[in-house]
Amino acid sequence: MSSSRYDAIVIGAGHNGLVTACYLARAGLRVLVLERRYIVGGACVTEETFSGFKVSTAAYVNSLFHTQIVRDLKLASYGYEVLPRDPASFTPFPDGRSLMMGRDPELTRKEIAKFSTRDAERYPRYEAMLERVAAVIEPTLTMRPPDLLRPRLGDLSAALSLRRSFQGLGDAAGEAVEILTGAARPILDRWFESEELKGTLATDAIIGAMASPSMPGTAYVLFHHVMGEAGGARGVWGYVRGGMGGVTQALAAAARDLGVDIRCDAEVARILVEDGRAVGVALATGDEYRAPIVASNADARVTFLRLLERDTLPDAFVADVERISYASASVKINVALAELPSFRALPGTEAGPQHRGTIHISPDQDYIERAFDDAKYGRPSAEPVLECTIPSAVDPTVAPPGRHLMSMFVQYAPYDLRDGSWDEQREAFADRCFDVLNDYAPNFKDAVLDRQVLAPPDLERVFNLTGGNIFQGAMTPGQLFAFRPVTGYASYRTPLCGLYLCGAAAHPGGGVMGTPGLNAAREILRRRRLRRVARRSS
Ligand SMILES: Cc1cc2nc3c(=O)[nH]c(=O)nc-3n(C[C@H](O)[C@H](O)[C@H](O)COP(=O)(O)OP(=O)(O)OC[C@H]3O[C@@H](n4cnc5c(N)ncnc54)[C@H](O)[C@@H]3O)c2cc1C
């Protein structure tokens, strides 16, 4: 048993765990972070998977990371830098045409007008509508959601500020409700007529979701992706210099400077419970560490059902955790390339605008629906939706000179296959994805030097993400805000005194935001202050 004592232990060094650790340390607490992998970062990490390449193994673009955290922790001084991408997206079509969209409104207007002049005119109004809703929703991201089962005075002020924000929306309130709860497809169908535009926009609605754009809940995922301003302006996604690990390496350096003790290769096997409260953790090696505060960056299923004995938690709570949906259908393929893909729609192997943003292989909404149909019946899509990014086209530090790195995010590939196993299907599915891209960029397959294929069970194994769900739990209306991770426990507290959730499993959920970690730290410090006041006055 280790004799070390800490004020707080954080289980997991994902970006949220590190954010929590930093804010607790800034408040004067002695903090220990225990990470099961050899490296900090969780799903926001850079690894040298291929010699000489800096691979963002999981997350690959950044917009949501909260600017307050960057400022408070002076992350720029630790090397954190976002490289905005412009244009933001390029969608090639089978007929040789293409659609490019970005920050330049004139370029976007002209590009959309190739398919519909009506849509080109409407697009700025659509963006303005999303901005109005975002202005209301963004403040809720840093809010402690109200406790619907045991409302407190603080919840009342949260409810009132929500009501005020909604009132501010005026006539757009109905549309906001549809965005927060509804399906993306009817919204896109109402706004636009061009399938090319809708197919491009709809991809944002399905990222990480086991759902097609016509299913309720996907409008929020679409909206989630227009929030954030880490890329320099709202909804502008950027690359992090040196890969996404640039976020977590900067956080870890800031944490160390604040006195945080970070240990890698330190898997927590058990949360220690005495007299109904969490008092520390035991590692798989048997070492024990004690602290009155334990914050878990692992997902809810791992935290409550794997690290705790069931009889330490109320039965109803355990049943709620068992009901959380981890449905997932995302595969990540990292590819080392000898040259850039040359698209039939815009040929060239010199870095051009078609290489800088996200390359969507998603010609229309029906294509996405068909891809989902396969997954619904337990099959990886015959024609998958691809979202490819080439960070080396913007950031030469991630690949050796003359080489390139591609991140291929693929949907849909269900965790549970009806026939066979992922060990049998993994490489064949990756081949199919490569065939699909090769139809649009015929030099692609020949340019491949190496690849890493992460199917849902691989994401689970590598990152301890239940079901391979990239967001530590589906981002559906029933699992957001006051319902995340389960109703009555959205305030980062848990039924066990001293135990908190501080990762994407908690409000506001997945994505490299840092807000769950920030909010959890605030809540932990608030509870600590209250306990001290109570002790002093008793
Ligand atoms: C393939 C993929 C692509 C994605 N793409 C993007 C993207 O481009 N942009 C974006 O914004 N978001 C993206 N996301 C989502 C985003 O990466 C995650 O939502 C976010 O990184 C979650 O951060 P976190 O700190 O809450 O948790 P995690 O990153 O899941 O970190 C949790 C940490 O806890 C550790 N841990 C778990 N159990 C234990 C234990 N028992 N003992 C010790 N340590 C433990 C894990 O090893 C891990 O390091 C992607 C995710 C994936 C998987």
Side-chain angles (χ1 to χ4, degrees), residues 11-17 34-37 39 41-44 57-64 237 244 266-269 297-298 302 307 332 409 459 462-465 470-472 502-505 509-513:
I11 305 172
H15 79 287
N16 278 312
L34 297 165
E35 166 56 48
R36 53 186 270 287
R37 295 196 74 208
I39 187 172
C44 180
T57 315
Y60 48 100
V61 279
N62 177 28
S63 162
L64 304 166
W237 289 72
M244 290 297 280
E267 171 151 23
V268 172
N297 186 192
V302 170
L307 302 185
K332 178 78 191 297
F409 188 85
L459 295 173
V462 177
F463 300 108
N464 221 9
L465 290 169
I470 72 162
F471 295 135
Q472 290 200 356
C502 67
V512 178
M513 283 191 276

Side-chain angles (χ1 to χ4, degrees), residues 13-65:
H15 79 287
N16 278 312
L18 292 168
V19 167
T20 300
C22 285
Y23 279 90
L24 295 184
R26 255 169 53 119
L29 275 64
R30 241 193 113 207
V31 185
L32 170 66
V33 177
L34 297 165
E35 166 56 48
R36 53 186 270 287
R37 295 196 74 208
Y38 73 98
I39 187 172
V40 302
C44 180
V45 69
T46 303
E47 297 179 89
E48 194 173 336
T49 312
F50 320 119
S51 178
F53 289 82
K54 293 180 182 170
V55 178
S56 294
T57 315
Y60 48 100
V61 279
N62 177 28
S63 162
L64 304 166
F65 194 53

Side-chain angles (χ1 to χ4, degrees), residues 18 22 40 73-81 245-256:
L18 292 168
C22 285
V40 302
L73 302 179
K74 302 184 176 51
L75 295 185
S77 70
Y78 294 101
Y80 169 75
E81 187 189 353
V247 176
T248 40
Q249 289 300 328
L251 281 169
R256 287 192 187 100

Side-chain angles (χ1 to χ4, degrees), residues 29 61 77 99 151 179 198 209 225 256 265 286 323 370 411 414 439:
L29 275 64
V61 279
S77 70
L99 170 65
I179 286 173
K198 290 186 282 187
H225 284 89
R256 287 192 187 100
D265 292 312
R323 265 195 295 273
R370 281 193 301 274
Q411 300 220 156
D439 284 346

